[in-house]
């Protein structure tokens, strides 16, 4: 059994996004590897409780390097540049913890798992004599300028500056050096692969940073011919998630028996009195509650403009929900015509029109909806955490030449 040292700043068994992603990678890799994981301590209590319930929990040892509540707030407030200074300090401390682990245990390989963004390579690549893997890596690409009209003027300006910086940032030594020094790079989507391939001559595979859960027979049966077509939208109040697009689409579907259930945002957060009545806001719910709610919906409307891979997309497929999304980022790789619809990012007006026409088609053609739902469940087998873990294990072996 391989012994792997994993650097995962964000890890939690009760959260989605980055923390949930790391947790799922770890508990699946532990089926075949002995893991030593360095993480931040925000969810130490939950991790230690859940690890006891894992059949392979004996193969996982966590080491905690906690930060202050102030730094945690910066981390989850995306776009706060100050966080990167503190993250860099955290990585310096993590490097010392890693050296201690290596002195006490025989480590075969080091894996820089998260944060997923390419700006966050950590510092464990500086350790000599042990093969290293970095990925899945994301954060490349950007939002087309003609979609910045969905942003406030201030946010749009910040986004333009950010995208200009992105063009040059990847060539900075603290990012470029680990790209060349690690043994294996993994891209989270096609955009990331294309960007990394311009810098590195390595054979770079694509593995989504998130996987799909297999629920087998535990899913609630869907009523595909229900009078009400129930759509779901999952995310936080972040302009790149483009809830405003979904609102515009639903405002043009008010005459049909279609409802949009929004999870993660309350109506009060939007400060908008003109919201159409066919949108129901559920506010923030626990991750397990959202999973349960999605089982009663028919379709995920995923309007995001920029992601690595949206966790909500995989969760929706796991629940048998087809996905309607933009043809970009990780969702562009994941969704095909067997499990959903992809809309090209040509303009805001084009997106609204295509989202609307796709929803109307499924509203009137419930047999197609049922067919796509079946395709979503089949797609889960290809995108499952178990399958992703097997791919990662093969990359470990390639790095170790075994």
């Amino acid at each position: 059994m391989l012994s792997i040292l994993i650097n995962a700043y964000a890890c939690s068994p009760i959260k989605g996004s980055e923390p949930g992603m790391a947790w799922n990678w770890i508990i699946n890799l532990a089926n075949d590897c002995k893991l030593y994981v360095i993480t931040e301590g925000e969810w130490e209590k939950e991790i230690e409780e859940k690890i006891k319930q894992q059949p392979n929990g004996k193969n996982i040892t966590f080491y905690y390097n906690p930060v202050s509540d102030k730094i945690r707030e910066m981390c989850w407030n995306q776009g706060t540049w100050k966080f990167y200074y503190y993250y860099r300090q955290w990585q310096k401390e993590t490097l010392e913890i890693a050296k201690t682990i290596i002195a006490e245990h025989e480590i075969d390989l080091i894996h820089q798992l998260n944060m997923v963004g390419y700006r966050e390579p950590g510092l464990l690549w500086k350790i000599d004599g042990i093969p290293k893997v970095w990925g899945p890596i994301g954060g490349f690409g950007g939002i087309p300028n003609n979609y910045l009209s969905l942003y406030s003027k201030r946010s749009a300006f910040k986004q333009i500056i950010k995208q200009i910086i992105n063009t040059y940032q990847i060539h900075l030594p603290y990012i470029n050096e680990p790209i060349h020094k690690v043994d294996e790079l993994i891209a989270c989507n096609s955009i990331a692969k294309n960007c990394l391939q311009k810098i590195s001559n390595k054979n770079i595979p694509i593995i989504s940073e998130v996987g799909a859960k297999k629920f087998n027979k535990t899913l609630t049966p869907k009523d595909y011919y229900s009078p009400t077509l129930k759509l779901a939208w999952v995310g936080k109040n972040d302009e790149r998630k483009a809830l405003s697009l979904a609102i515009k689409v639903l405002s043009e579907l008010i005459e049909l028996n279609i409802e949009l259930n929004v999870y993660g945002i309350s109506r009060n957060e939007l400060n908008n009195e003109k919201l159409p009545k066919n949108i129901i806001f559920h506010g923030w719910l626990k991750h397990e509650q959202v999973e349960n709610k999605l089982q009663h919906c028919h379709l995920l409307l995923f309007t995001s403009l920029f992601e690595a891979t949206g966790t909500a997309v995989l969760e929706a497929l796991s629940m048998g929900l087809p996905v309607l999304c933009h043809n970009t980022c990780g969702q562009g790789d994941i969704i095909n015509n067997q499990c959903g619809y992809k809309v090209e990012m040509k303009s805001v007006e084009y997106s609204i029109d295509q989202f609307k026409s796709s929803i109307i088609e499924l509203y009137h053609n419930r047999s197609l909806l049922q067919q796509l739902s079946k395709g979503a469940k089949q797609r889960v087998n290809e995108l499952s955490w178990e399958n992703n873990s097997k791919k990662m294990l093969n990359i470990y072996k390639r790095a170790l030449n075994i």
Side-chain angles (χ1 to χ4, degrees):
M1 184 174 280
L2 298 178
S3 292
I4 312 296
L5 173 58
I6 291 181
N7 184 0
Y9 175 89
C11 179
S12 170
I14 63 168
K15 293 286 185 179
S17 300
E18 288 265 8
M21 175 272 287
W23 172 259
N24 279 289
W25 271 114
I26 289 161
I27 61 173
N28 280 280
L29 288 169
N31 290 325
D32 301 290
C33 305
K34 189 169 181 61
L35 305 179
Y36 302 86
V37 183
I38 307 173
T39 188
E40 202 274 301
E42 184 169 357
W43 294 285
E44 178 178 354
K45 179 182 176 182
E46 292 83 356
I47 288 172
E48 294 302 323
E49 287 178 356
K50 291 288 186 180
I51 208 73
K52 295 173 185 176
Q53 302 169 18
Q54 292 296 317
N56 56 14
K58 64 182 184 301
N59 292 336
I60 310 170
T61 304
F62 277 91
Y63 298 81
Y64 300 97
N65 182 13
V67 299
S68 68
D69 290 340
K70 179 181 177 181
I71 296 172
R72 287 170 184 164
E73 185 178 353
M74 288 181 187
C75 175
W76 304 127
N77 181 16
Q78 291 187 0
T80 301
W81 294 92
K82 293 178 183 177
F83 167 70
Y84 290 97
Y85 168 80
Y86 294 104
Y87 181 78
R88 188 75 169 173
Q89 298 306 309
W90 186 88
Q91 290 291 357
K92 288 178 181 178
E93 295 170 7
T94 295
L95 177 60
E96 297 307 310
I97 294 171
K99 290 177 181 177
T100 301
I101 296 170
I102 291 167
E104 296 174 352
H105 304 277
E106 188 173 336
I107 301 297
D108 296 309
L109 182 139
I110 296 170
H111 183 178
Q112 173 65 33
L113 179 59
N114 84 352
M115 307 289 266
V116 170
Y118 72 88
R119 301 177 192 83
E120 300 148 351
L123 295 171
L124 301 196
W125 58 269
K126 294 191 172 191
I127 296 173
D128 294 325
I130 301 176
K132 286 166 280 290
V133 170
W134 178 16
I137 308 170
F140 300 95
I143 299 168
N145 287 340
N146 58 347
Y147 280 78
L148 293 178
S149 61
L150 297 170
Y151 283 56
S152 67
K153 289 183 179 179
R154 181 178 180 183
S155 296
F157 177 74
K158 286 173 65 177
Q159 187 63 38
I160 291 170
I161 297 300
K162 182 178 179 180
Q163 291 178 186
I164 293 171
I165 292 172
N166 284 351
T167 305
Y168 301 98
Q169 194 170 27
I170 192 171
H171 299 288
L172 295 176
Y174 86 96
I175 295 172
N176 207 268
E177 196 170 356
I179 285 175
H180 288 98
K181 288 206 170 181
V182 300
D183 297 87
E184 297 285 346
L185 295 168
I186 305 157
C188 74
N189 56 42
S190 297
I191 294 173
K193 175 173 177 148
N194 292 339
C195 291
L196 289 167
Q197 210 74 75
K198 292 176 182 177
I199 302 168
S200 172
N201 59 6
K202 294 181 175 70
N203 177 16
I204 301 173
I206 297 174
I207 304 179
S208 173
E209 80 278 15
V210 290
K213 292 181 182 179
K214 295 180 180 179
F215 285 92
N216 299 321
K217 296 181 181 180
T218 61
L219 288 174
T220 302
K222 293 187 189 300
D223 181 3
Y224 296 102
Y225 294 88
S226 165
T228 303
L229 182 68
K230 295 184 178 182
L231 314 183
W233 188 98
V234 182
K236 59 182 180 178
N237 195 7
D238 184 325
E239 286 167 308
R240 70 186 171 88
K241 299 287 186 180
L243 176 59
S244 58
L245 267 181
I247 292 172
K248 290 176 182 178
V249 171
L250 267 292
S251 67
E252 297 186 17
L253 297 172
I254 200 75
E255 300 301 322
L256 298 176
N257 195 354
I258 298 172
E259 70 178 33
L260 176 66
N261 293 274
V262 175
Y263 301 102
I265 300 176
S266 67
R267 182 178 287 266
N268 293 336
E269 286 182 71
L270 299 181
N271 193 25
N272 185 341
E273 297 179 359
K274 297 181 180 179
L275 293 170
K277 294 180 180 179
N278 55 353
I279 301 180
I280 303 167
F281 289 84
H282 298 268
W284 183 88
L285 299 174
K286 290 183 179 179
H287 189 233
E288 292 175 357
Q289 291 177 300
V290 175
E291 286 185 341
N292 291 333
K293 294 285 188 182
L294 287 177
Q295 293 190 48
H296 300 281
C297 295
H298 297 111
L299 175 75
L300 178 72
L301 177 56
F302 192 74
T303 52
S304 181
L305 307 174
F306 184 70
E307 298 276 338
T309 305
T311 307
V313 171
L314 276 301
E315 290 174 345
L317 295 177
S318 297
M319 304 294 169
L321 271 72
V323 176
L324 174 55
C325 65
H326 285 118
N327 186 16
T328 187
C329 306
Q331 59 268 28
D333 292 327
I334 287 171
I335 301 304
N336 57 31
N337 58 11
Q338 274 76 50
C339 63
Y341 292 90
K342 295 187 289 189
V343 173
E344 299 299 330
M345 293 185 71
K346 295 182 178 180
S347 70
V348 170
E349 293 73 20
Y350 182 82
S351 290
I352 293 170
D353 181 68
Q354 293 300 304
F355 284 144
K356 185 177 69 172
S357 61
S358 298
I359 293 168
I360 291 172
E361 180 179 14
L362 293 177
Y363 177 76
H364 291 295
N365 190 345
R366 300 304 179 91
S367 61
L368 175 58
L369 175 66
Q370 188 170 4
Q371 181 182 332
L372 289 173
S373 179
K374 183 179 178 180
K377 294 173 186 175
Q378 292 172 344
R379 188 78 169 116
V380 165
N381 293 322
E382 303 166 31
L383 302 166
S384 68
W385 282 111
E386 294 87 346
N387 205 30
N388 279 1
S389 181
K390 289 177 183 177
K391 292 178 183 177
M392 188 65 74
L393 185 62
N394 287 333
I395 291 171
Y396 287 171
K397 291 178 178 178
R398 190 168 75 182
L400 291 162
N401 293 315
I402 58 175

